[in-house]
Amino acid sequence: MTDTRGQQPSYESYNGPLPGERTGAQQPGAPYHPPQAYGAPASGGTAGGQTGAVRRPRTGARTTPRTRKARLRVAKADPWSVMKVSFLLSIALGICTIVAAAVLWMVMDAMGVFSTVGGTISEATGSNESNGFDLQSFLSLPRVLMFTSVIAVIDVVLMTALATLGAFIYNLSAGFVGGVELTLAEDE
């Protein structure tokens, strides 16, 4: 086989610095200055700046830092963790519902809504021998709180079951279409 590249230089006789080595012009104790892409301007440069040009930053450019962004995909939602979180959130919502019903009942009772409406209903439904329907005894605070507690317990069970079922359905649909894609940005 014949070498067609011609005569090659001998690498054994090369005495210059290897790539990555410091040149002999620097002192051993001096700090290392890496080679510059654009050297110092030459004294005989042209007016157009084509030879020996120094690269200068633009003065009008804004120096805002870049925001890093990442595109992520929610491939699977763990049904057990969804059930635990939805259970705790539905319990918190149930407690808020009971407290709101109690506060609303107390405000309406202090305003006299139950006595006014109860008097009107008892007059409309009463006769000479009976007093009619007593709204105040029917809508007493213990009865309202018992009804609200039953509704809150049913709400806890339903919300937990529906959220867990939703996690299973999401996992099935994410298997077909790949899941929900999110773009997250780093805030600096």
Side-chain angles (χ1 to χ4, degrees):
M1 187 176 280
T2 308
D3 188 8
T4 58
R5 293 180 290 173
Q7 187 174 0
Q8 298 294 320
S10 172
Y11 293 109
E12 288 83 21
S13 63
Y14 179 72
N15 291 329
L18 295 175
E21 285 185 351
R22 295 183 186 183
T23 59
Q26 291 183 341
Q27 300 293 332
Y32 173 68
H33 297 287
Q36 299 295 319
Y38 296 99
S43 59
T46 62
Q50 295 167 347
T51 59
V54 176
R55 185 175 184 183
R56 292 191 179 111
R58 295 180 290 171
T59 56
R62 291 177 32 185
T63 58
T64 57
R66 275 194 182 166
T67 303
R68 293 190 321 176
K69 292 183 180 180
R71 291 189 71 186
L72 301 174
R73 185 171 46 96
V74 181
K76 183 183 179 203
D78 185 30
W80 178 249
S81 64
V82 169
M83 186 183 79
K84 290 188 291 187
V85 170
S86 65
F87 178 71
L88 289 178
L89 290 177
S90 61
I91 283 181
L93 184 66
I95 291 172
C96 290
T97 303
I98 292 172
V99 170
V103 169
L104 184 64
W105 188 92
M106 288 179 199
V107 167
M108 289 175 70
D109 189 43
M111 289 173 50
V113 172
F114 296 126
S115 61
T116 305
V117 173
T120 305
I121 290 177
S122 64
E123 284 179 16
T125 59
S127 61
N128 291 338
E129 57 270 351
S130 68
N131 291 336
F133 182 71
D134 189 14
L135 183 68
Q136 286 180 312
S137 65
F138 181 73
L139 292 180
S140 64
L141 181 62
R143 184 174 278 183
V144 168
L145 289 182
M146 182 64 71
F147 179 73
T148 308
S149 299
V150 168
I151 295 297
V153 168
I154 292 171
D155 187 38
V156 166
V157 172
L158 283 177
M159 283 181 65
T160 304
L162 288 176
T164 308
L165 182 65
F168 279 113
I169 292 173
Y170 176 79
N171 289 339
L172 287 174
S173 65
F176 293 119
V177 297
V180 175
E181 288 189 9
L182 302 173
T183 301
L184 304 177
E186 183 179 20
D187 195 19
E188 294 187 44

